[in-house]
Structure formats: C-alpha cells, structure tokens
Amino acid sequence: TSWTGAVDCSGNDLELMAICICPRETVCIRDVKSLICLALARLPAYFDYPLYLMLFLSKAHNLRSALQCTYLSEFLPFYDTHHLHTIAGTIVGFEVFWHSFWHLLRWGLSGDISFLWRHVTGISGCISLILTPLIVWPVLFERLRKGIAFKIRKA
C-alpha cells in the first residue's frame, strides 16, 4: 500500500497511554521500543550536521583563504584544517554505523525491514552504509591506505 501521509492511531490494539507518532512512513512510532531506537538513531545524526560543515570547510581551500583574511581567523585556525577533517570524518564514519544499526533494529522489530529495498530512505541509507567505509577506512587504517594507490583513493 502507498503512504497516505497519516496514520489512524485509534483501534483495538492501542492501549491507554499508547504512543503513536507518524509524521512519515519511515518514522512511524507506535511503541516505546521504536521511540528509543529512533532517539538513539536521530540524536547522533543531528550531532553530525556541524561535522559535515567542518568536513566541507576543511577542504574548501578558496573559501578558507578568504576567511583567513577576516576577523574569524583570530578565533579559528583556517590555515591548517587537515587534522580537523580527519577527526570529523572519523566521527561521522562511526556514527553512520550507529545511526544505521538503530534504524535497522527499529524497522526489524516493527516488521518494516522492507523499507531497505522499497523506500528511497532505506535505499539511500544502504548506499551511505556501503560507501562510507570506502572513504573512511583508508584514512583510519594505515595498511589500507598504503595498499591503495593515491590516485585511486582520491578519485
């Protein structure tokens, strides 16, 4: 069935004080387990947003050069951001797995695991889960970094 944008939260299977929060099909919460899993998936994802900005800014060399000529450079070291990029990338790399685990657990417990292959949210999540280690692991593990040619890693 297609998502109509609303969920009927009444019925025989819901008790007094039951939880029913369904803004979207993939974020439908009907019990405490789903609520906890969603919170454990979402909170680190929201924490990652500033890290995405730092990842972008640390490699946007022209923008960093322009910002280096402003008063912001008194407080932020725009001249050397590679270390910041490495730390932010490592955290994002681990949090992709954390985020995915809790969504997969939530969907599995609620019987909605088919979202992985039939909904754009699940498909894009799987793509991120597959591609992120290809980006992060060569940075984290020296053996991988030395085993993969620079031209291939930076392609």
Side-chain angles (χ1 to χ4, degrees):
T1 64
S2 64
W3 178 248
T4 61
V7 167
D8 183 17
C9 290
S10 62
N12 297 335
D13 57 343
L14 295 174
E15 309 168 357
L16 186 63
M17 301 295 289
I19 298 171
C20 187
I21 305 168
C22 293
R24 290 191 310 273
E25 183 180 23
T26 57
V27 189
C28 196
I29 302 167
R30 292 183 181 256
D31 58 16
V32 174
K33 289 183 291 192
S34 288
L35 180 65
I36 291 170
C37 287
L38 186 64
L40 289 171
R42 283 251 173 130
L43 290 175
Y46 292 138
F47 173 78
D48 278 352
Y49 289 137
L51 296 177
Y52 295 139
L53 178 65
M54 286 189 266
L55 286 167
F56 172 76
L57 183 60
S58 66
K59 294 303 174 187
H61 300 298
N62 288 338
L63 179 58
R64 282 190 305 124
S65 295
L67 290 172
Q68 185 63 33
C69 299
T70 67
Y71 288 112
L72 289 174
S73 65
E74 294 291 325
F75 307 102
L76 301 170
F78 291 115
Y79 57 88
D80 183 23
T81 57
H82 179 72
H83 185 65
L84 176 66
H85 185 86
T86 304
I87 291 171
T90 301
I91 293 169
V92 167
F94 283 112
E95 287 192 2
V96 163
F97 286 102
W98 177 267
H99 180 80
S100 299
F101 170 78
W102 290 108
H103 276 305
L104 291 172
L105 181 63
R106 183 173 62 83
W107 286 345
L109 291 174
S110 66
D112 292 326
I113 199 71
S114 64
F115 284 149
L116 281 178
W117 57 86
R118 72 171 184 84
H119 197 280
V120 68
T121 301
I123 294 168
S124 64
C126 283
I127 292 169
S128 296
L129 188 59
I130 291 167
L131 293 180
T132 300
L134 297 177
I135 298 165
V136 174
W137 288 356
V139 175
L140 292 178
F141 304 113
E142 186 174 347
R143 185 173 179 170
L144 279 176
R145 187 171 48 251
K146 290 187 177 190
I148 302 172
F150 181 78
K151 288 181 181 179
I152 293 173
R153 284 190 288 128
K154 299 302 174 187

